[in-house]
Amino acid sequence: MTLVATFLYALLTDRILLVDRGTDMSDLFCEPFPNSSWFLPVDFPQSWLEGLNRSNPYRFGHLIDKGKCSVHVNVSSIPVYSYVDLTHSFDLQDRRFFCEEEQKVLNQIPWLFLRTNIYFVPSLYFVPPLNKKLEKFFPQREALFHHLARYLFHPSNDVWGRIIRFYDAYLSNVDQIVGLQIRIFDPTKTPTENVTSQVFACVLGNKILPNTSNADANEQPWAAHIVRENKVISVLVTSLHRGHYDSVRKFYLHQPTEDGSLVRVNLPSHEGEQRTDKPDHDKQALAEIFLLSFSETLVTSPMSTFGYAAQGLAGIRPWLLTRPGEDSYPNFACMKAFSVEPCFHVPPLFDCDCQGGTDPGKIIPFVRHCEDVRWGLKLSGDDVSETNFSA
């Protein structure tokens, strides 16, 4: 998500994008540009990159006068490079990156080193010159991430092999694929059984999956024949924990479905905990994101970037599970998302004139607050403020 956002910014500002390969980037993806590379050269001094932090004198935020609404850079002394901190904890000065006057200064700096872990695309629409280009380049706003992600990200041979082998074995030759992406950030606050109950309420209440019959299959010798003749649904469960998979599998194993369809339940992995930057773990995570993107229907977890990436690659609006204890939607297990786009979790207030700030979700009709993060922003395909809820 951060690479899509950064590539888009480079595209809008006529810059060349070079990417720090990190620990396993080259093991995850093929190069997206033929006869070229988007990686920094291997001999680029890593220690110098590590020196790009909050205290760096060339940090963009340091160019902003604290307490003043201006950039204190003399045009005759524009620096050769600037470090832009767009991580989730960026300060008030760094947040002025999304202001037109600050962008005019940045446009004169040859090298920008940008560190980010957020999908900051929605806030680019608040910069008038960038807004004009965005409207021209992406008239279908909701498809922005979908098009760029499909263009940029091609899994490595190792990752693609995992995807194809699992797909051929468990997801091919079926009538429908339903993806269930389940992410629990704090098991102490959201027990597995509570989340599983919520998933069932969502998929059964909205007829995403068929309900089961209370009749005893042993008393209906014709039941097995109906199952073989009717629709086959493959359910792909992705989760760090196998409890959700076990519950869904047991539900469909013990009784026939009401409509006679056959439901197969699959779980590619259950690693117990997130192990970011562990090569095999990252490869498996990427493979499962792509597998989810093959779904015709997706159910995703709130605030999960894993789910955002899958729905974006798929190009479909998911059913989004509500957050436990969320006051806004206390009576709903899930809702149909109003957009395919990911959510920008930590957008700044719109305060380029230093007048105290305006809610950024109330300025542009198609930049709206997210369902799962009330203060977040995401692009909408519509200019209306309706959301489809489900019981």
Side-chain angles (χ1 to χ4, degrees):
M1 287 165 45
T2 61
L3 270 175
V4 165
T6 307
F7 175 77
L8 175 63
Y9 178 71
L11 191 68
L12 296 173
T13 56
D14 296 321
R15 289 183 179 273
I16 294 170
L17 174 67
L18 293 174
V19 180
D20 175 17
R21 66 187 67 225
T23 57
D24 57 4
M25 181 77 175
S26 57
D27 293 330
L28 296 174
F29 298 105
C30 299
E31 292 274 7
F33 307 109
N35 304 314
S36 184
S37 176
W38 68 347
F39 289 132
L40 281 173
V42 292
D43 59 350
F44 194 91
Q46 191 66 30
S47 59
W48 190 87
L49 287 178
E50 293 170 358
L52 297 174
N53 51 45
R54 291 285 179 86
S55 61
N56 190 291
Y58 289 94
R59 181 169 69 89
F60 170 66
H62 288 158
L63 303 181
I64 309 292
D65 274 325
K66 290 188 177 181
K68 296 182 180 181
C69 202
S70 62
V71 183
H72 64 83
V73 177
N74 190 311
V75 177
S76 62
S77 60
I78 293 292
V80 175
Y81 77 91
S82 182
Y83 165 58
V84 180
D85 183 357
L86 292 186
T87 55
H88 65 280
S89 57
F90 58 165
D91 63 20
L92 292 175
Q93 280 67 46
D94 287 308
R95 294 179 186 191
R96 294 188 62 80
F97 176 86
F98 302 107
C99 296
E100 183 175 9
E101 291 304 312
E102 279 70 10
Q103 281 297 320
K104 289 179 180 177
V105 173
L106 286 170
N107 283 342
Q108 300 177 65
I109 301 176
W111 286 82
L112 294 185
F113 291 85
L114 191 150
R115 188 190 306 277
T116 183
N117 60 357
I118 52 180
Y119 184 72
F120 55 83
V121 168
S123 287
L124 294 178
Y125 279 85
F126 296 117
V127 183
L130 302 187
N131 186 316
K132 291 180 182 179
K133 287 187 177 182
L134 284 163
E135 290 292 275
K136 180 180 180 180
F137 293 170
F138 299 96
Q140 191 178 3
R141 306 180 196 97
E142 187 183 2
L144 190 153
F145 179 89
H146 175 71
H147 287 309
L148 290 183
R150 289 278 188 169
Y151 176 69
L152 289 174
F153 301 122
H154 307 279
S156 65
N157 290 342
D158 186 355
V159 176
W160 189 244
R162 299 182 189 212
I163 295 169
I164 291 301
R165 287 189 294 273
F166 190 92
Y167 181 88
D168 288 344
Y170 302 105
L171 303 180
S172 63
N173 300 317
V174 299
D175 298 292
Q176 183 183 6
I177 301 174
V178 175
L180 303 182
Q181 183 266 327
I182 304 174
R183 180 70 159 98
I184 300 178
F185 293 98
D186 188 350
T188 61
K189 294 182 179 179
T190 50
T192 298
E193 56 271 18
N194 291 8
V195 177
T196 300
S197 297
Q198 184 181 0
V199 170
F200 275 121
C202 175
V203 298
L204 299 180
N206 292 285
K207 302 187 183 303
I208 297 170
L209 291 175
N211 211 332
T212 57
S213 170
N214 291 324
D216 187 348
N218 293 327
E219 298 176 2
Q220 300 177 349
W222 43 266
H225 175 71
I226 292 178
V227 167
R228 284 195 297 271
E229 294 297 326
N230 283 8
K231 184 167 75 169
V232 178
I233 303 171
S234 185
V235 178
L236 175 66
V237 181
T238 64
S239 176
L240 291 171
H241 310 282
R242 67 168 295 149
H244 312 290
Y245 158 78
D246 288 335
S247 296
V248 177
R249 181 176 179 273
K250 181 179 179 181
F251 183 77
Y252 287 106
L253 183 63
H254 287 187
Q255 291 186 343
T257 57
E258 289 180 337
D259 62 1
S261 58
L262 175 65
V263 179
R264 301 172 180 171
V265 186
N266 307 288
L267 179 74
S269 70
H270 51 93
E271 301 201 15
E273 63 181 4
Q274 188 167 321
R275 300 185 179 92
T276 304
D277 290 335
K278 300 296 183 183
D280 193 69
H281 178 86
D282 288 351
K283 289 178 182 179
Q284 185 61 31
L286 181 61
E288 293 183 21
I289 287 173
F290 271 86
L291 286 168
L292 281 172
S293 75
F294 298 148
S295 304
E296 281 86 15
T297 305
L298 262 177
V299 177
T300 61
S301 297
M303 297 186 70
S304 174
T305 52
F306 196 102
Y308 294 162
Q311 75 197 37
L313 284 167
I316 58 177
R317 299 179 182 182
W319 288 90
L320 185 63
L321 297 173
T322 55
R323 292 172 61 188
E326 174 59 64
D327 294 335
S328 301
Y329 320 111
N331 300 316
F332 301 100
C334 63
M335 68 186 79
K336 191 67 177 289
F338 64 76
S339 173
V340 174
E341 278 286 294
C343 177
F344 178 11
H345 285 173
V346 289
L349 291 175
F350 183 73
D351 191 24
C352 292
D353 57 3
C354 299
Q355 297 299 310
T358 303
D359 181 347
K362 297 180 179 180
I363 299 174
I364 303 176
F366 55 82
V367 178
R368 298 163 51 189
H369 286 303
C370 311
E371 304 94 335
D372 53 336
V373 184
R374 284 182 290 180
W375 58 88
L377 292 178
K378 73 176 180 178
L379 300 176
S380 170
D382 310 310
D383 293 347
V384 297
S385 57
E386 297 179 357
T387 301
N388 296 320
F389 297 105
S390 71

